[in-house]
Amino acid sequence: DQQVKQNSPSLSVQEGRISILNCDYTNSMFDYFLWYKKYPAEGPTFLISISSIKDKNEDGRFTVFLNKSAKHLSLHIVPSQPGDSAVYFCAASALTGANNLFFGTGTRLTVIP
Amino acid sequence: ETGVTQTPRHLVMGMTNKKSLKCEQHLGHNAMYWYKQSAKKPLELMFVYNFKEQTENNSVPSRFSPECPNSSHLFLHLHTLQPEDSALYLCASSRGGTGGLSYEQYFGPGTRLTVT
C-alpha cells in the first residue's frame, strides 16, 4: 500500500501565478518530508524539506506547508516560472526507518509562458 | 566529476545477458541507494548500503545483485532479467546516520534499462 500519495498527476499554471502541489501520507511515524524536482533525463534534485516540528518552511519562491493532523503537505511556488516545469516528487521518512525515503508518484507541473 | 554519476546512461540487454550498472558519488557520503522507477509508479527502493553494509533489501528478486566495495562506489549486477524489469534505475547517496540532513538524498541521472 502506498504510504505517500500525490493524487494529481499533472498541473498547468500560467507564468507569474502560484503553483500548489499537494501530497498526502498515511504513516503517522513520518517525521521528515522532502520535495524533489526532476527534469527529463536527469535524476531528482532536492528542492526543500520540512521537519514535523514545523508547519512551514520557506526558501525563496518555494514554501512547504505541513498539516500533521490532516497528514497533508503542499508545495507552493510563487511566482511560477517556465523553468519550474518539471515533475515534482513528495517524499517522507520516519526516524525509525533510518535514511529510507518513501516517494509519491509525482506531479508534472507545466508553467505556461 | 562532482555529485553522483551513473554509467551507462542507457542499456539494452537480452534476457540471458549479464550486465552491471555502476554508480559513483563524490560527495563524501556514507549511505548509497538503488531505486527503480517504472512508468506511473513511485520510486521503489531496492537496496540501501550504510557504511558499506547492506541495511535494506526491499524484497528484490535475486536476479538483481548489489555490490558496494567502498562508500563511494555502488554496483548493480544484472542477470537473466525479464522484460518487466525495464525501467529507470537511479542511484542516490546521503550522509548516513540520523537527523534531518541525512534524509536528503542526492541522485544520479539514472540508467535507462531495456530488457528485450
Side-chain angles (χ1 to χ4, degrees):
Chain A
D1 188 33
Q2 217 171 309
Q3 300 188 58
V4 178
K5 299 178 183 179
Q6 294 176 258
N7 293 318
S8 298
S10 63
L11 174 69
S12 291
V13 172
Q14 286 290 135
E15 180 179 4
R17 306 293 289 268
I18 185 171
S19 296
I20 300 176
L21 297 100
N22 293 303
C23 177
D24 298 291
Y25 61 96
T26 57
N27 189 341
S28 58
M29 298 298 292
F30 287 149
D31 63 350
Y32 201 77
F33 304 89
L34 308 90
W35 284 94
Y36 282 82
K37 179 168 72 172
K38 185 180 185 301
Y39 293 117
E42 295 182 14
T45 55
F46 169 73
L47 189 59
I48 192 170
S49 63
I50 188 167
S51 164
S52 60
I53 63 173
K54 294 185 175 182
D55 55 17
K56 176 183 175 181
N57 189 26
E58 189 172 352
D59 183 2
R61 296 185 296 112
F62 302 90
T63 304
V64 56
F65 294 92
L66 176 63
N67 182 334
K68 289 186 290 292
S69 61
K71 294 191 178 67
H72 177 83
L73 66 155
S74 60
L75 174 68
H76 292 211
I77 306 173
V78 55
S80 300
Q81 299 173 355
D84 296 329
S85 297
V87 177
Y88 289 80
F89 292 96
C90 169
S93 184
L95 183 63
T96 56
N99 303 298
N100 296 358
L101 292 179
F102 295 85
F103 284 85
T105 50
T107 297
R108 180 177 299 279
L109 173 67
T110 302
V111 180
I112 304 163
Chain B
E1 289 277 15
T2 57
V4 181
T5 58
Q6 288 186 244
T7 53
R9 294 293 306 275
H10 300 273
L11 179 62
V12 179
M13 60 185 289
M15 289 190 285
T16 58
N17 291 158
K18 288 184 182 180
K19 296 286 184 182
S20 296
L21 310 184
K22 179 183 176 182
C23 175
E24 185 173 359
Q25 59 94 2
H26 308 269
L27 300 168
H29 289 165
N30 293 303
M32 296 188 77
Y33 312 76
W34 279 117
Y35 286 89
K36 175 183 177 183
Q37 186 180 24
S38 305
K40 298 182 181 177
K41 295 176 73 174
L43 271 71
E44 299 173 54
L45 180 66
M46 300 175 71
F47 301 103
V48 181
Y49 278 83
N50 204 10
F51 293 90
K52 298 190 299 177
E53 296 296 321
Q54 185 175 317
T55 59
E56 185 91 14
N57 176 339
N58 210 19
S59 303
V60 180
S62 60
R63 57 185 184 270
F64 296 91
S65 174
E67 179 189 0
C68 187
N70 54 62
S71 58
S72 299
H73 293 86
L74 185 65
F75 295 90
L76 187 62
H77 303 299
L78 315 172
H79 178 47
T80 59
L81 295 192
Q82 305 298 313
E84 59 264 30
D85 296 322
S86 299
L88 180 69
Y89 289 84
L90 290 160
C91 172
S93 70
S94 70
R95 278 194 345 176
T98 58
L101 283 178
S102 69
Y103 298 143
E104 293 169 16
Q105 296 180 13
Y106 295 78
F107 286 82
T111 296
R112 173 68 62 185
L113 174 66
T114 303
V115 181
T116 59

